[in-house]
Amino acid sequence: MCKHMNFAAQVNVARMEDTGQFMADITVRCSECNVPFQFLGMEAGIDTHGARVSVDGLEARIAICPQGARPNPLQRMAFNVKRFDG
Ligand SMILES: [Zn+2]
């Protein structure tokens, strides 16, 4: 039995011509026995503003953008704190 100690990961990044948005599709498998890994905790489908997984659970589809194009989590926290103070 393989204990799955080594991994191969692939990331395919796509730019959607119609919206100009970017998606990163990620797959992971054991590099010794080739078993693919399922992604946990994500709903199936596609969300161009978030993270989803293929119906078989094997491909994570994650919306991405160039650094600075959208507020990062820290900037969003700072904005929310400011809003609550004011
Ligand atoms: Zn394995």
Side-chain angles (χ1 to χ4, degrees):
M1 278 306 268
C2 182
K3 287 184 174 178
H4 310 312
M5 302 289 283
N6 294 293
F7 310 95
Q10 186 170 5
V11 182
N12 294 318
V13 178
R15 180 186 181 278
M16 286 167 288
E17 285 298 328
D18 50 345
T19 62
Q21 290 175 298
F22 301 87
M23 297 293 293
D25 299 333
I26 303 167
T27 55
V28 177
R29 62 179 175 81
C30 175
S31 63
E32 289 171 27
C33 71
N34 258 344
V35 161
F37 276 65
Q38 282 178 233
F39 288 88
L40 307 177
M42 288 190 286
E43 290 179 41
I46 292 176
D47 178 356
T48 56
H49 300 284
R52 291 289 187 273
V53 70
S54 57
V55 289
D56 60 8
L58 302 182
E59 182 179 79
R61 301 161 172 166
I62 301 178
I64 59 175
C65 71
Q67 183 181 30
R70 304 268 183 88
N72 65 28
L74 179 61
Q75 291 165 331
R76 282 204 304 273
M77 283 169 50
F79 180 74
N80 287 334
V81 167
K82 220 183 290 177
R83 261 201 334 204
F84 290 134
D85 283 349

